[in-house]
């Protein structure tokens, strides 16, 4: 029994540049058009649309198949989609000019493709050629660096509604020849379009990277651009066992980008944390290293009785005040400039939060914070750690393992830590019950309850 009346498979198999493939002939645009058309006509309860890998008919792409009847389409373009949806998906009649029903030819082509593919893999293997996966990993920094430089130079804002390289260069004070090379690479990466000599933002770049757009993420992303300089010290940091100072981390601009980067991640996660912890019986919260204040703001908005206190370093507190003020919760959220490794925490808190904090510190520093947090909690209070949590072998998940290196190049003794480590440290501090709450996304909560 089929769960859906029809099931569409659209081939989206990526292949190296220059090799025939369905994505190279436009299958991702077809997929997008199909999805929109199916939703618009409310066919989504009857028609399931999924992607699939190579079917061996790459020269005839974009290829798609409609089951259960097994109707194969080839050379489908976005302009064909509304006809296919109307005639076939809604009306039950396939579109003859696009249907490919020469089964023997299709089978022969597919088998031939499979044979050639396996032979090519075997020949590459025999010749000792570096596998594509490794080659791509080695060069992975190139697209990233192009985009980070474009953000640093604020190119997407300078492109505005369309401009040539000279006009953009005048706005951002860049060399015309070098800038044209970067702009062309951004076109190749699908971040700009080009008609004649005029460059334009793609809808995505205009939305997420240009000033004036409400979804502009540039300030927060500039933190990643700053971090890139730290990552270039990784080799030396691994030799030295700690970060190598690069002398660019303490400017007001760096701090402001850092907190904007934190806010970018935290503002969508904060309501999830409030939901996971609940507000029943919670009146006072201490938010250690609160950054932009996103978590305190979310708790304050969830209950008018809530009082939150944010402790952060003196350079950050004025930025926190700005975010808290703009959120309209200043009467509920107080700010304290200080050092969580030195200063007294106070007492009587129902929750003490450590969101994205513990990875900055060593085992000893975290244990010291946990012990003092235990003493600062009210009866039945909770210590909440939110972080990228490693598996016991510390080799997974990937984002937590990579983030550990981010902390190696950024801090004196920070790292990603495992659930077992957090649990042991909390129990050693006096917490009797410790549990993990998984949130959507890469970070999880470890919650210790004080009796
Ligand atoms: C990675 S950010 C996390 C910010 C916030 N909790 C969030 O999740 O968005 C770390 C924060 O801890 C603050 N911080 C670092 N060392 C600190 C210390 N010794 N005492 C107080 N705050 C500190 C930083 O200024 C920054 O705001
Ligand atoms: S890439 Fe689509 S059939 Fe091969």
């Amino acid at each position: 029994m089929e769960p859906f009346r029809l099931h569409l498979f659209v081939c989206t198999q990526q292949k190296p540049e220059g090799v025939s493939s369905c994505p190279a002939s436009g299958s991702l645009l077809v997929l997008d058009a199909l999805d929109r058309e199916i939703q618009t006509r409310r066919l989504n309860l009857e028609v399931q649309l999924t992607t699939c890998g190579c079917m061996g008919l790459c020269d005839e792409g974009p290829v798609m198949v409609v089951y259960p009847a097994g109707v194969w389409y080839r050379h489908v373009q976005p302009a064909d989609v509304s006809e296919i949806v109307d005639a076939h998906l809604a009306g039950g009649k396939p579109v003859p000019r696009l249907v490919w029903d020469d089964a023997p030819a299709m089978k022969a082509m597919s088998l031939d493709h499979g044979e050639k593919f396996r032979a090519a893999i075997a020949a590459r293997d025999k010749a000792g050629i570096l596998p594509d996966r490794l080659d791509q990993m080695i060069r992975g920094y190139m697209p990233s660096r192009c985009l980070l430089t474009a953000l640093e130079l604020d190119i997407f804002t300078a492109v505005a509604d369309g401009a040539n390289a000279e006009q953009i260069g005048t706005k951002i004070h860049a060399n015309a020849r070098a800038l044209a090379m970067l702009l062309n690479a951004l076109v190749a990466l699908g971040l700009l379009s080009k008609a004649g000599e005029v460059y334009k933002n793609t809808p995505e770049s205009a939305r997420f990277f240009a000033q004036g757009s409400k979804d502009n993420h540039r300030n927060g992303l500039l933190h990643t651009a700053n971090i890139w300089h730290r990552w270039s010290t990784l080799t030396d940091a691994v030799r030295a066992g700690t970060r190598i100072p690069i002398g660019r981390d303490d400017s007001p601009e760096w701090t402001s980008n850092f907190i904007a980067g934190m806010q970018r991640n935290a503002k969508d996660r904060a309501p999830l944390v409030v939901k996971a912890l609940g507000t029943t019986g919670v009146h006072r919260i201490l938010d250690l290293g609160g950054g932009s204040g996103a978590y305190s703001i979310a708790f304050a908005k969830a209950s008018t009785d809530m009082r939150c206190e944010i402790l952060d370093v003196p350079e950050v507190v004025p930025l926190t005040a700005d975010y808290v003020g703009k959120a309209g919760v200043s009467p509920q959220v107080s700010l304290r400039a200080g050092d969580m490794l030195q200063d007294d925490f106070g007492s009587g808190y129902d929750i003490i939060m450590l969101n994205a904090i513990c990875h900055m510190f060593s085992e000893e520093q975290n244990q010291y914070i946990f012990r003092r947090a235990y003493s600062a909690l009210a009866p039945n209070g909770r210590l909440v750690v939110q972080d990228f949590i490693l598996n016991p072998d510390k080799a997974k998940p990937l984002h937590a393992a990579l983030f550990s290196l981010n902390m190696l190049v950024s801090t004196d003794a920070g790292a990603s830590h495992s659930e077992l480590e957090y649990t042991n440290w909390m129990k050693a501090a006096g917490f009797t019950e410790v549990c993990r709450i998984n949130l959507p996304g890469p970070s999880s909560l470890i919650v210790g309850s004080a009796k």
Side-chain angles (χ1 to χ4, degrees), residues 224-297:
T224 309
N226 290 336
I227 294 285
W228 192 89
H229 296 285
R230 289 180 175 170
W231 272 81
S232 65
T233 69
L234 180 61
T235 308
D236 290 335
V238 169
R239 286 202 179 101
T242 187
R243 76 188 176 104
I244 308 295
I246 53 170
R248 357 174 8 138
D249 296 7
D250 48 9
S251 72
E253 198 190 359
W254 196 100
T255 307
S256 155
N257 289 333
F258 171 47
I259 296 304
M262 294 307 103
Q263 163 73 357
R264 190 170 75 84
N265 296 330
K267 75 175 184 346
D268 297 333
R269 302 189 60 69
L272 303 175
V273 171
V274 175
K275 193 169 168 213
L277 297 175
T279 53
T280 311
V282 182
H283 307 289
R284 286 192 64 210
I285 292 181
L286 176 63
D287 187 356
L288 291 170
S292 71
Y295 293 93
S296 287
I297 291 169

Side-chain angles (χ1 to χ4, degrees), residues 258-259 262-263 265-266 287-295 311-313 316 338-341 354-357 359-361 386:
F258 171 47
I259 296 304
M262 294 307 103
Q263 163 73 357
N265 296 330
D287 187 356
L288 291 170
S292 71
Y295 293 93
L311 171 69
D312 210 305
V313 296
V316 166
D339 179 352
M340 74 176 95
L341 295 172
L354 288 163
N355 292 303
I357 300 297
H359 57 238
M360 292 189 297
F361 298 129
Q386 184 190 173

Side-chain angles (χ1 to χ4, degrees), residues 98-119:
L98 297 167
V99 168
W100 195 16
D101 56 5
D102 185 351
M106 290 157 71
K107 188 171 175 183
M109 186 182 281
S110 181
L111 290 174
D112 181 52
H113 176 275
E115 242 168 65
K116 284 187 180 142
F117 178 73
R118 281 184 287 277

Side-chain angles (χ1 to χ4, degrees), residues 280-282 349-351 374 377-383 431-433 447-451:
T280 311
V282 182
Y349 300 103
D350 301 306
I351 289 180
Y374 183 81
L377 283 168
N380 299 318
R382 287 173 287 173
L383 174 64
F431 294 93
T432 43
E433 279 174 32
V447 182
S449 305
K451 284 284 170 197

